[in-house]
């Protein structure tokens, strides 16, 4: 859980940084405000659609294991777009993808992980992950951005590649976490929190 949260925050901080740098360098303040308004409106609409119609279907038919992979995979796609096509358009799409996933599937998957965690472990882990890990990740990301810029002469592509490496590593870790996913599913089913949260362990083990 801590590594998953770390990777998502690390990558989203980088895409936010690149968006702000690229947009502020090519647009006036008024244009930037307008574009950011369209960004939040688009991400809000897409995440609302996913929450209303997509999340339940994805969890039911592809399984929790794939859903856990989708957030870092989306961050990887955003980073790859910025590395291959650095510019305002790719920054807009990357940030919209990041926001959409974090406001929909990412939140749902994280909620399920906490629900499956025993209360005693929640009391110990949640303040640390939601507090310390989140705050520390912001600092680590800032240092990583500064160091990368210093070592590469201010290359935005290098920052995007750094984000891509972290996202790819986390996506691979989640894809291999079969036993962890099976354990979470079993706990959710035992808690009987609703029929649409019941998943097939066999499906996830075969993916």
């Amino acid at each position: 859980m801590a590594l998953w949260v770390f990777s998502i925050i690390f990558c989203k901080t980088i895409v936010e940084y690149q968006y702000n740098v690229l947009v502020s360098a090519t647009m006036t303040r008024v244009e930037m405000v307008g574009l950011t308004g369209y960004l939040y409106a688009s991400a809000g609409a897409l995440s609302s659609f996913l929450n209303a119609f997509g999340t339940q279907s994805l969890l039911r038919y592809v399984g929790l294991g794939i859903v856990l992979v989708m957030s870092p995979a989306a961050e990887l796609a955003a980073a790859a777009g910025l590395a291959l096509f650095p510019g305002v358009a790719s920054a807009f799409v990357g940030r919209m993808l990041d926001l959409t996933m974090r406001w929909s599937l990412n939140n749902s998957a994280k909620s399920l992980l906490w629900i499956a965690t025993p209360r005693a472990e929640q009391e110990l882990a949640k303040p640390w992950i939601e507090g310390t890990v989140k705050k520390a990740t912001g600092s680590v990301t800032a240092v990583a951005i500064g160091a990368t810029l210093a070592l590469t002469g201010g290359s935005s592509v290098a920052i995007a590649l750094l984000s891509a490496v972290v996202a790819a590593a986390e996506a691979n870790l989640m894809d291999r976490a079969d036993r962890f996913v099976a354990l979470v599913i079993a706990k959710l089913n035992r808690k009987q929190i609703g029929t649409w949260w019941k998943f097939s362990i066999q499906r996830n083990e075969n993916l």
Side-chain angles (χ1 to χ4, degrees):
M1 173 80 86
L3 289 174
W4 188 60
V5 170
F6 172 87
S7 69
I8 297 299
I9 296 177
F10 185 94
C11 296
K12 76 99 174 174
T13 302
I14 287 181
V15 76
E16 284 177 358
Y17 169 80
Q18 291 186 291
Y19 173 85
N20 291 333
V21 169
L22 289 167
V23 171
S24 63
T26 57
M27 292 185 168
T28 66
R29 180 172 296 181
V30 173
E31 290 172 334
M32 184 175 180
V33 170
L35 183 66
T36 303
Y38 286 122
L39 168 67
Y40 279 94
S42 301
L46 288 172
S47 61
S48 296
F49 178 83
L50 273 176
N51 284 326
F53 304 106
T55 302
Q56 293 185 17
S57 296
L58 286 170
L59 287 167
R60 178 179 295 152
Y61 296 113
V62 305
L64 179 60
I66 296 298
V67 171
L68 287 172
V69 172
M70 290 178 72
S71 287
E75 299 291 355
L76 173 59
L82 281 163
L84 294 172
F85 310 103
V88 172
S90 56
F92 181 91
V93 173
R95 185 106 194 269
M96 181 174 64
L97 184 60
D98 162 65
L99 290 171
T100 299
M101 295 301 292
R102 286 196 292 115
W103 291 348
S104 56
L105 292 179
N106 185 68
N107 283 342
S108 297
K110 187 164 67 171
S111 295
L112 286 175
L113 294 180
W114 283 125
I115 290 171
T117 304
R119 184 175 298 277
E121 293 180 19
Q122 279 192 44
E123 292 175 354
L124 291 174
K126 196 166 186 178
W128 181 70
I129 292 175
E130 298 294 337
T132 305
V133 171
K134 283 187 174 182
K135 291 178 181 178
T137 302
S139 299
V140 170
T141 309
V143 171
I145 290 173
T148 303
L149 290 175
L151 291 172
T152 61
S155 172
S156 63
V157 173
I159 298 176
L161 291 174
L162 174 64
S163 179
V165 168
V166 172
E170 183 60 22
N172 182 63
L173 178 64
M174 288 291 99
D175 185 50
R176 294 174 179 271
D178 294 335
R179 293 181 63 185
F180 168 72
V181 172
L183 179 62
V184 171
I185 292 170
K187 288 183 177 180
L188 290 171
N189 287 338
R190 283 201 300 271
K191 289 190 175 185
Q192 297 181 343
I193 57 175
T195 56
W196 75 272
W197 295 112
K198 290 183 175 293
F199 314 109
S200 167
I201 296 177
Q202 186 64 41
R203 179 188 296 119
N204 282 277
E205 289 178 342
N206 290 337
L207 291 175

